[in-house]
Amino acid sequence: MSPRCHLFRGMLLSVAYADGEGGIGLTATGAMNRKFVHWAAVNFLWPDFTAEDLYSMNKVLNESDMPPLWVVRDTTRHLKLLRRKKDVLLPTRRGREFLVNPQAFFDLVATDYLYSYVHATEREAEVQARLRWWRMFLNLLNIKAREGCTPLDVVKILYPDTAPLSATEMTLEAWELKSDLQYGVLRRLCWLGLLYEAREGLTLLQDGAFHKTPLWSACLQLESDTQSDIGVH
């Protein structure tokens, strides 16, 4: 599995930790304990959420301080790879099957995360509304991410009325559109290892260009595979 497949890798490491360490300890409120959160921060190697990144903002790490861990926990629970027993999370029989043959679970994980998962910052209605647009998003990115495209590049294609706007005007007028695209679509594809964001030399507030990884073509067969360019039809 590609090391860029951050969600899948995080799930695999978490289930392996639970299997090897007698479970993942939970706090009195049911959150993953600090011992495991620290371990995850060090070992997940999650871009923008490395131990260095996280400890630059927090003296100690709780589960709530590490957003990728929310997705890892929710997905392992939803797919019944971990179960709670008193104050620990333990691997299920299915979780141990996942450890033995993780590749067999990739399609299931990817489908659940792209199309069904509701992040803590989203509403279920938003995720459901996005369902009918996913094929279009994938075909559009299949073309535009060959050479690299920013979120605003994609917004201008999806909403042609924004194309004449300056960068400043785009920030003001298209902020919500860009945010929905960035977090609802692009980040999910990045966390699955299908896209990556080139950020070298950029500040925290600047957007990088998104590119396809080798996993993209290995996983997806799209109508636009033979097209050289694409618009909105």
Side-chain angles (χ1 to χ4, degrees):
M1 184 54 58
S2 167
R4 282 201 173 118
C5 189
H6 312 297
L7 173 59
F8 202 79
R9 186 172 184 273
M11 291 172 62
L12 192 58
L13 288 172
S14 298
V15 177
Y17 179 101
D19 190 47
E21 300 292 330
I24 296 171
L26 301 175
T27 67
T29 59
M32 292 171 165
N33 66 18
R34 287 178 178 173
K35 177 184 176 182
F36 176 74
V37 176
H38 170 77
W39 182 90
V42 171
N43 289 278
F44 279 10
L45 305 178
W46 205 297
D48 302 322
F49 296 97
T50 64
E52 183 180 1
D53 296 324
L54 294 166
Y55 280 113
S56 70
M57 297 182 288
N58 305 278
K59 290 184 178 180
V60 296
L61 289 180
N62 297 305
E63 181 184 324
S64 59
D65 299 317
M66 189 175 176
L69 203 49
W70 313 345
V71 185
V72 168
R73 176 172 178 161
D74 288 346
T75 308
T76 52
R77 180 180 57 194
H78 183 250
L79 297 180
K80 296 181 171 58
L81 304 179
L82 292 174
R83 65 181 176 88
R84 181 172 181 173
K85 184 177 181 181
K86 296 183 179 179
D87 60 349
V88 294
L89 291 175
L90 296 169
T92 62
R93 179 178 177 181
R94 193 183 200 197
R96 293 192 175 94
E97 291 173 356
F98 173 61
L99 293 179
V100 172
N101 187 19
Q103 284 78 8
F105 287 78
F106 181 78
D107 286 352
L108 184 64
V109 171
T111 301
D112 183 73
Y113 180 53
L114 286 183
Y115 306 137
S116 304
Y117 179 72
V118 181
H119 193 269
T121 60
E122 294 180 308
R123 290 177 293 117
E124 185 174 356
E126 294 173 338
V127 176
Q128 292 177 341
R130 196 182 298 132
L131 271 176
R132 65 192 183 104
W133 297 104
W134 264 108
R135 199 71 183 177
M136 183 198 69
F137 288 138
L138 292 174
N139 274 294
L140 174 58
L141 291 168
N142 195 33
I143 301 296
K144 294 302 180 184
R146 288 174 185 166
E147 302 298 329
C149 59
T150 67
L152 286 181
D153 291 335
V154 179
V155 168
K156 287 184 176 184
I157 295 170
L158 295 174
Y159 303 94
D161 289 349
T162 66
L165 299 178
S166 68
T168 302
E169 290 171 330
M170 282 290 289
T171 300
L172 296 172
E173 300 290 332
W175 177 261
E176 188 173 346
L177 298 175
K178 190 192 92 165
S179 181
D180 289 346
L181 175 73
Q182 194 155 8
Y183 296 107
V185 177
L186 296 173
R187 185 168 74 174
R188 292 190 188 221
L189 292 168
C190 284
W191 284 13
L192 274 176
L194 300 176
L195 293 178
Y196 73 93
E197 184 182 9
R199 295 201 52 81
E200 187 175 354
L202 299 178
T203 68
L204 185 63
L205 297 178
Q206 292 176 305
D207 295 321
F210 288 83
H211 301 260
K212 294 189 292 185
T213 71
L215 194 59
W216 178 286
S217 57
C219 293
L220 298 172
Q221 290 185 330
L222 298 164
E223 297 87 343
S224 57
D225 282 339
T226 58
Q227 295 179 25
S228 60
D229 204 350
I230 189 169
V232 178
H233 302 288

